Amino acid sequence: MSSIRLLFHRIEENWNYKYKIIKTVIDWTVLVYLVIPAAIITIMVYKSWWTDPPAWIESVPFPLLFAVFFFLLWGGYFKTYVREADIIFLRKNEKLMIGMKQGGIIVSYLSEALSAVLLGLFISPIWMNHYGLNFKQLMLFFGIWVSLRWGIMAVNGQLNVHLRGWRSLVRSIPVVVGAAAIWWISYEAFQSGSLLSVFLIVVFNGIVSMLLMKKRFTSIHTFEQDLSIDEKDKNKYTEMIFGLSMDIEKLPKPRPLRKSPRLYSKSNRIFKKRTQRNGFLEIFIKVATRDTVYIRGYLQVFGVTAAAIVFVPPTWLKITIAATGFFFLNIWIGSVWHKLIGSHPFTKKYTGEEGYVKGKNLVTTVLSIPFLIMCAFNVWILHMFRSLFPFF
């Protein structure tokens, strides 16, 4: 087997693995009610941007757009598609292993360039219609962006990927400061219209990334680091996908031992009146508020829907997104309730009781009220404000 065939076999395995994970989260109901409508709405919104830029872009100056893309620089690695078992066979076949690693790194370069192209296509209507910039400037902007991203990915490949907590934060400070300085110089060069300066920055970033990647590109002695990077990328993707589904049982994350929890440390009662409904509510509130996973999940549904409503211009699309978000929120609340109450060994035998149903309905109502208020504010109140105050 040649290095190219082995590389493409590993890439195919990687995509099949991701596809199987996605299938465990996105079943046919989610596909029909969420993914397909979201794709259609996205295409329609994107098409409308070419004829009528969204109103929210008026409050986004060009420097802020530059700042937003700075945060999109992070989170990537150059992958080499090595596996743990390769230490037995491929390390004895250095030529085959180095060829596969080189192909993986080149694929990573090309995939990041493709991401830059897709991002460029996405913002091109705003770039040209609102900011009045041309296609050449768009190419230069994303040339700067992808070359600096290559440099950051190369630096990340030299660091210890196992560090966590404050050590990881301290280690990343020089990287962030250095990247911010280069990004600021790039902005100044771009604003001045100096094409030569922009081109030199792109070349500099590309050369730095290649120099930092030279050892991983030409040697098998970085096997442990390559393996750690690939496993981290794989596990990060898996945790992200599994986190979208409340039906998949996850292994509990290790946590430091505490004598008592931060909330309800004395397990004090929340409701003075002791009824079956209040008992279920108390269990749900204590468990859900003690675990940030559930709080973060609720805020994610809340935030994503709010952002989508703000970004799309037509009122009917805002209402459609609000209805879809409300439908998804109810599914999520029901899933969390079933996980914490309905499937627990001590409470699942009471699922047919009146108090169980009343408790679930009350939780759904209470958690839906802030969501509905947010949707109403974004759909109607902001529309009214903008009609009365055009500058708002």
Side-chain angles (χ1 to χ4, degrees), residues 186-228:
S186 303
Y187 171 74
E188 292 293 330
F190 190 88
Q191 286 290 81
S192 66
S194 175
L195 300 182
L196 179 60
S197 299
V198 172
F199 178 75
L200 291 176
I201 291 171
V202 173
V203 173
F204 172 77
N205 292 336
I207 292 175
V208 168
S209 71
M210 292 178 185
L211 291 176
L212 292 174
M213 289 300 300
K214 182 179 179 181
K215 187 174 181 181
R216 292 183 64 195
F217 193 80
T218 59
S219 173
I220 65 170
H221 299 296
T222 60
F223 176 81
E224 287 75 15
Q225 181 72 357
D226 295 333
L227 180 63
S228 299

Side-chain angles (χ1 to χ4, degrees), residues 106-355:
I106 293 172
V107 168
S108 297
Y109 270 105
L110 294 177
S111 63
E112 294 301 326
L114 179 60
S115 299
V117 171
L118 295 177
L119 281 172
L121 290 174
F122 181 72
I123 72 166
S124 54
I126 296 174
W127 184 274
M128 297 177 184
N129 295 340
H130 177 67
Y131 294 115
L133 302 173
N134 56 41
F135 183 71
K136 182 189 293 186
Q137 292 170 314
L138 181 65
M139 291 181 61
L140 289 173
F141 173 75
F142 278 100
I144 298 171
W145 183 82
V146 74
S147 64
L148 184 55
R149 182 168 169 84
W150 286 340
I152 293 172
M153 291 168 61
V155 172
N156 288 338
Q158 306 296 317
L159 303 177
N160 184 359
V161 299
H162 297 292
L163 284 182
R164 295 291 186 273
W166 66 270
R167 293 181 179 87
S168 177
L169 179 63
V170 171
R171 181 201 62 188
S172 62
I173 289 176
V175 182
V176 174
V177 172
I182 296 174
W183 194 240
W184 174 254
I185 295 171
S186 303
Y187 171 74
E188 292 293 330
F190 190 88
Q191 286 290 81
S192 66
S194 175
L195 300 182
L196 179 60
S197 299
V198 172
F199 178 75
L200 291 176
I201 291 171
V202 173
V203 173
F204 172 77
N205 292 336
I207 292 175
V208 168
S209 71
M210 292 178 185
L211 291 176
L212 292 174
M213 289 300 300
K214 182 179 179 181
K215 187 174 181 181
R216 292 183 64 195
F217 193 80
T218 59
S219 173
I220 65 170
H221 299 296
T222 60
F223 176 81
E224 287 75 15
Q225 181 72 357
D226 295 333
L227 180 63
S228 299
I229 289 171
D230 281 60
E231 288 296 322
K232 180 179 181 179
D233 181 79
K234 184 178 179 180
N235 293 335
K236 181 179 179 180
Y237 181 84
T238 304
E239 290 175 3
M240 179 186 70
I241 295 296
F242 277 16
L244 297 175
S245 175
M246 302 304 303
D247 297 326
I248 301 175
E249 188 66 30
K250 296 100 174 169
L251 292 175
K253 294 182 180 180
R255 299 180 180 181
L257 295 176
R258 297 178 55 86
K259 294 181 179 180
S260 60
R262 291 185 178 92
L263 296 177
Y264 323 109
S265 57
K266 297 181 181 180
S267 193
N268 50 310
R269 293 179 178 180
I270 299 176
F271 303 102
K272 293 182 179 180
K273 188 177 180 180
R274 309 308 293 169
T275 63
Q276 192 179 51
R277 187 202 67 172
N278 290 348
F280 286 119
L281 288 175
E282 188 169 305
I283 294 173
F284 180 84
I285 292 171
K286 287 183 176 180
V287 176
T289 54
R290 281 171 176 169
D291 197 331
T292 58
V293 171
Y294 304 114
I295 300 174
R296 188 167 61 247
Y298 178 74
L299 294 178
Q300 284 174 347
V301 177
F302 205 100
V304 169
T305 307
I309 292 174
V310 171
F311 288 163
V312 296
T315 303
W316 69 270
L317 273 180
K318 294 178 184 286
I319 296 174
T320 303
I321 292 173
T324 304
F326 181 73
F327 171 76
F328 184 76
L329 179 66
N330 277 268
I331 292 177
W332 183 85
I333 294 172
S335 178
V336 175
W337 178 272
H338 176 74
K339 181 178 178 64
L340 300 183
I341 307 296
S343 62
H344 195 278
F346 294 118
T347 55
K348 65 180 181 180
K349 61 181 178 180
Y350 302 107
T351 54
E353 299 289 336
E354 183 181 3

Side-chain angles (χ1 to χ4, degrees), residues 61-93:
F62 185 72
L64 180 59
L65 180 69
F66 231 86
V68 169
F69 273 87
F70 176 76
F71 293 100
L72 298 179
L73 289 168
W74 307 92
Y77 288 93
F78 285 104
K79 298 202 302 181
T80 54
Y81 296 95
V82 297
R83 300 291 183 266
E84 191 171 2
D86 293 345
I87 196 171
I88 300 174
F89 174 73
L90 290 183
R91 290 195 71 169
K92 297 179 181 178
N93 297 267

